Amino acid sequence: MASERHVIVAGAGIGGLTAALALARCGLQTTVFEQAPRLEQAGAGIQLGPNASRILLALGLGPRLRAMATAPEAIRVMSGSSGREIARISLGAAVARRYGAPYWVVHRGDLQAALAAAASEEQAIELKLGIRIDDFAAQADGVAVRARHDREAADARAAALIGADGLWSSVRDRLQRQPPPEFAHRTAWRATLPADAMPSEFHGALVHLWLGPGAHLVHYPVKAGRLINVVGIVRDGWQQQGWSATGERDDILRHFARGIWSEKARELIALPERWLKWALYDGRSPFRGGAGPVTLIGDAAHPMLPFLAQGAGMAIEDAAVLADCLARLRNPADALRDYEAVRASRTARAQHMSRRQGTIYGLGGLEALVRDMGMRLVGGERLLARQDWLYSWKPPARFLGT
């Protein structure tokens, strides 16, 4: 018989591990199945807005994350064509005062490692690596999961199954309720540099965001400021699945063409010797929810473009709301439908705003001049205020210490 206090989570990424910690906070037992044989330091840097950081702090991750994350002082919005600053949006103390939680930049691998370390200290969480979920079936008292470790069966039963297995979710595929994400005709390129390799103009705890026609560039410190994470996003037809295809420096430079992009930006792009790239996909269909005792969180539920820097943030929010619903409602299926109803409009808005932001970032010609002039006139404080809907979000009261 499946225990009504036991939940299986598919995927030990940011969403899955946060869900496990949130469920433990709510008194539930969790088994996390991860198909990778080991958790490795992979991926690029990520930005964590106050909507996400306040949940991580509530889950006790503050000491670990403060040791490796950076709280940037500001976002410098730069003109890709002229190389000059368009606007400066204060973060740091200004964000902490306004929203009651910090804005952090951190390497994805460091965040995942901090979550995994916290999970390993929780008796209510069991992390099983090298296990792939092949199928599942709803039962009267929960869900039966068919899984395997190498060639051996690793079947299990629980009150609920949470698909936190990312963009190419096998749980989503087996639910057959959500269409796969659509290729966005964009490719993201990433590299890291020692901080002292950057030109002095770009030193310090800052996020630099360069806007130009058909592309944009962002760079900020990770690894407690020792490295700089550099990401360029370009329009492209390359759509291979995966996160770490090798990219050639000359290829990315072609997307930031001389005469269109400033030499300052091109010199930055030329600094890394090694680039990796991945194709961007977007979930254009609203999240339709799961079925019975099964649901999805994060990219498995609502994949989104990175222009709002909220992919991880939405997964972290999902985890807190889901755990609260499962703790409050005795029937797991009812709890999951409640979670889905709570999250639907917010995640759809985040997807829409990410898409819209990408269009604004990639403007060229006269439209870009109008955009830049508007940003200068509005100013950093009001540009930040436009994100109040996003950063002011609060999780359920049990995650606020009230």
Side-chain angles (χ1 to χ4, degrees), residues 189 208-212 215-219 230-233 252 256 261 264-266 268-269 275:
W189 294 64
H208 285 85
L209 171 62
W210 299 73
L211 308 183
H216 86 272
L217 180 69
V218 62
H219 50 93
V230 185
V231 176
I233 297 181
I252 186 174
F256 294 84
W261 278 80
K264 280 185 183 181
R266 286 178 49 82
L268 286 173
I269 294 166
W275 285 89

Side-chain angles (χ1 to χ4, degrees), residues 322-333:
L322 173 70
D324 181 68
C325 290
L326 280 167
R328 286 189 295 103
L329 300 179
R330 186 172 182 83
N331 183 296

Side-chain angles (χ1 to χ4, degrees), residues 30-327:
T30 306
T31 301
V32 181
F33 286 169
E34 168 56 50
Q35 66 178 356
R38 63 188 64 84
L39 298 182
E40 297 180 332
Q41 287 262 338
I46 56 175
Q47 301 178 57
L48 294 171
N51 56 309
S53 66
R54 65 169 51 91
I55 297 170
L56 298 174
L57 288 170
L59 293 173
L61 288 156
R64 285 188 170 97
L65 289 179
R66 288 190 184 99
M68 60 189 69
T70 297
E73 298 166 8
I75 298 174
R76 289 186 75 200
V77 185
M78 310 291 290
S79 167
S81 58
S82 71
R84 293 191 292 270
E85 183 175 304
I86 299 169
R88 186 177 290 234
I89 304 169
S90 293
L91 298 176
V95 160
R97 284 194 303 269
R98 189 179 188 97
Y99 303 113
Y103 191 109
W104 280 330
V105 290
V106 64
H107 194 281
R108 181 178 293 272
D110 286 342
L111 175 55
Q112 186 181 26
L115 290 164
S120 71
E121 296 170 359
E122 280 284 353
Q123 291 186 347
I125 299 172
E126 184 178 16
L127 174 60
K128 295 187 174 183
L129 301 176
I131 296 184
R132 177 182 175 84
I133 293 178
D134 289 331
D135 206 354
F136 54 83
Q139 298 184 331
D141 61 346
V143 60
V145 173
R146 181 183 300 164
R148 59 185 167 86
H149 180 267
D150 293 330
R151 297 182 180 180
E152 297 183 5
D155 298 349
R157 299 176 69 188
L161 169 63
I162 312 305
D165 47 346
L167 189 63
W168 305 112
S169 168
S170 61
V171 176
R172 180 188 62 221
D173 289 348
R174 283 162 177 77
L175 277 170
Q176 297 183 335
R177 289 181 51 80
Q178 194 76 11
E182 300 177 18
F183 175 53
H185 297 277
R186 288 183 172 93
T187 302
W189 294 64
R190 73 173 185 266
T192 55
L193 284 168
D196 58 10
M198 293 291 283
S200 58
E201 179 183 352
F202 306 117
H203 287 183
L206 297 164
V207 176
H208 285 85
L209 171 62
W210 299 73
L211 308 183
H216 86 272
L217 180 69
V218 62
H219 50 93
Y220 51 79
V222 294
K223 298 288 183 181
R226 296 189 302 275
L227 297 178
I228 302 297
N229 181 70
V230 185
V231 176
I233 297 181
V234 302
R235 294 191 182 277
D236 198 359
W238 182 84
Q239 55 180 300
Q240 179 179 316
Q241 293 183 19
W243 299 100
S244 299
T246 300
E248 297 297 328
R249 179 167 49 188
D250 288 346
D251 288 342
I252 186 174
L253 275 170
R254 277 195 283 271
H255 290 283
F256 294 84
R258 180 175 282 113
I260 298 175
W261 278 80
S262 76
E263 284 306 307
K264 280 185 183 181
R266 286 178 49 82
E267 287 167 6
L268 286 173
I269 294 166
L271 286 173
E273 295 182 2
R274 181 172 181 264
W275 285 89
L276 299 174
K277 63 180 182 177
W278 71 101
L280 299 183
Y281 288 79
D282 190 14
R284 288 187 169 269
S285 299
F287 177 39
R288 298 173 184 169
V294 183
T295 195
L296 307 169
I297 68 171
D299 284 346
H302 40 72
M304 65 185 66
L305 296 172
F307 303 109
L308 202 64
Q310 279 293 317
M314 289 297 115
I316 291 166
E317 288 186 14
D318 287 347
V321 174
L322 173 70
D324 181 68
C325 290
L326 280 167

